[in-house]
Amino acid sequence: MVIHYWKCFRNAAFILYHIEKRYVLILAAALLISVPIMPLELLLVKTIIDRIQAWSASAPISPILWASGWLGLLMFVNSVALGAPIPLAMTRLNEVGTLEEQRLIMRKTSRLPLATIESAKVKDMRERALRVSVYEIYHTGAELLQLSMQLLVLIIVIIRLGQWLPVIAVIASVLLLVYISGKSAGSIERMTREQSSDRRLLRHYSELMTNRIAAKEVRLFDLGSLLSDRWTVLMGQTSKHTLSAVRSAEGRKVAPELLMALLTGLLLALVVLMPGQKLLSAGHFAFLFLALTTLLSQLPSLIRQGVAMRTHYMKWEDFQAYLNLDEVQPNRSNREASAAFEEKVAEGKQPGGLQLQVSNLHFGYPGNNRDAIRGVSFVIPPNSRVALVGENGSGKSTLVKLLLGLYSPTTGEIVWSRLKAGRIVPTSAEGNVSVVFQDFTRLLLTLRENVALGQISALMDDKRLHQSLQAAGSRFEDLSMQLGVPFEGIEPSGGEWQKIATARAILNDAEFVLFDEPTAALDPKAEKDAFELFLRASEGRSALLVTHRLGAAKMADIILVLKEGQLVEQGTHQQLMERDGLYSHMFQLQASWYVG
């Protein structure tokens, strides 16, 4: 276990050293320099006492003054010279350590598959990982090393003075107390791990009661009391379990701590009463007494730091477990994809644009016995407009996330390719696809930043940004305008937010455009404008329109119809209407709402 603690301390020190070399070295040096100061101070006390005992009126007093001066110098170094830089270093390392922990977790989260992020188990893992403190691991480990070296020096001194029996008794009692305290700390930390889901739920209740998005429903349906009561009950249960675990842990430590206290008093008494002590000089006796007293007084700190290191190590394990989660990986090599694709694609395709081929795609969410996508296969040729339709729950959103690489399929292939010099060249969706999601992100930034994030190189290109906004039909022109009430900006309507998101996608001049339910938040006129925008944005590109408005699907070259995760129909609007299947039934049902 000591090896594990050492590796944990070393890794934390490496992380901090990589960011802030200066303060890591300052803290380490200050702690190490302080190790010999304490025994030197005791030695000077012994020297001063012996010299005072031997001093007479005729003898010079300068040796006593010199020894006292050196003692004062050591005390100054320990309290002032070392005392000033240590708090500064600790504050700085705490700041950079906290930022680095959060950066590593955020970066890891951004690289995880979407299905992994959505897992409740992984959410609990992230909750536990956020409890780590790289600084605390380093600081606790450094103090543990410092105390261990100091006490080792004191033990050697006490043994050299012939007092080996007290040392054996102290070491035995310390090992017992460390073992019991470590077990108690471990049980408390395991209980805290088990409460990860409850803590997430408590935070969710708190956010519902305080954030702006939920405020309307909370007030309209008078949910404040219900949520507050649930928060109170869950917090009470959590606190009760925590109190019970702490009470049990502290109860186990009562006997060893009582033994330690009795042993301390007994050993100090033995130092005074043991035979032969009268043969020691006053300085030697004071030196031995102070050394043993210091040893016994420092042992509780050593035990606390050892127990704290065990807890930090368990948190570090959670931190590492999260950072070691599998990241997004391509399903197959480009070379394999290219060979398989070239065998299946006919000659004479139109140049330009991306081509997408999906073959026998399956995907299931963790914990669900039935796949959400089952055996889906289709091709979107270059420069083709395709509409994806289906009832709610048919799997449209899941399929879109698979196409974009946000989910990894259970089985099957998703191959993005383009024609180049008469050959099919494999590529990927990343950097080649512009997307406007139905649940697009409302970035509380300036209008300039909202649009420019589609292609960050255009951040200061006002002409391109204005062109993208105009093409998306946005009425906004002031690029420096702050968006979002929480930061004292304006709050665009749902439709205007969607236009901003569309402008972001247009700015990224990709070869494939994907609109996921682009008219969900729009009125009829804005809906018509959005479909016209889709037509303009998809000129000379491949495009996929996910929609429940089947009137818009009529403009597509190919219509894909999903039902319960399966592709049940595909073809043109006319072909599907003549087939009189699911698409025809859905289209006629929607048309009946507009035709009396």
Side-chain angles (χ1 to χ4, degrees), residues 266-280:
L266 179 62
L267 290 177
L268 292 177
L270 286 176
V271 169
V272 177
L273 300 175
M274 283 178 62
Q277 299 296 70
K278 294 182 179 179
L279 300 177
L280 297 176

Side-chain angles (χ1 to χ4, degrees), residues 243 245 315 463 495 588:
L243 181 62
K315 295 177 182 178
K463 182 178 179 181
Q588 292 172 16

Side-chain angles (χ1 to χ4, degrees), residues 292-347:
L292 187 57
T293 302
T294 303
L295 174 65
L296 293 171
S297 65
Q298 292 289 343
L299 284 177
S301 296
L302 180 70
I303 293 170
R304 283 195 300 271
Q305 296 297 343
V307 172
M309 198 65 193
R310 176 184 175 87
T311 302
H312 290 318
Y313 172 70
M314 294 178 72
K315 295 177 182 178
W316 176 262
E317 284 185 313
D318 292 333
F319 182 66
Q320 287 296 304
Y322 187 76
L323 294 186
N324 290 331
L325 288 173
D326 292 334
E327 298 180 2
V328 177
Q329 298 292 336
N331 296 313
R332 59 189 309 198
S333 69
N334 282 341
R335 181 175 298 175
E336 292 173 339
S338 178
F341 197 29
E342 286 189 65
E343 293 176 0
K344 299 177 182 179
V345 176
E347 296 293 335

Side-chain angles (χ1 to χ4, degrees), residues 109-121:
T109 303
S110 69
R111 295 177 176 179
L112 293 176
L114 186 59
T116 301
I117 296 174
E118 293 172 345
S119 165
K121 180 180 178 181

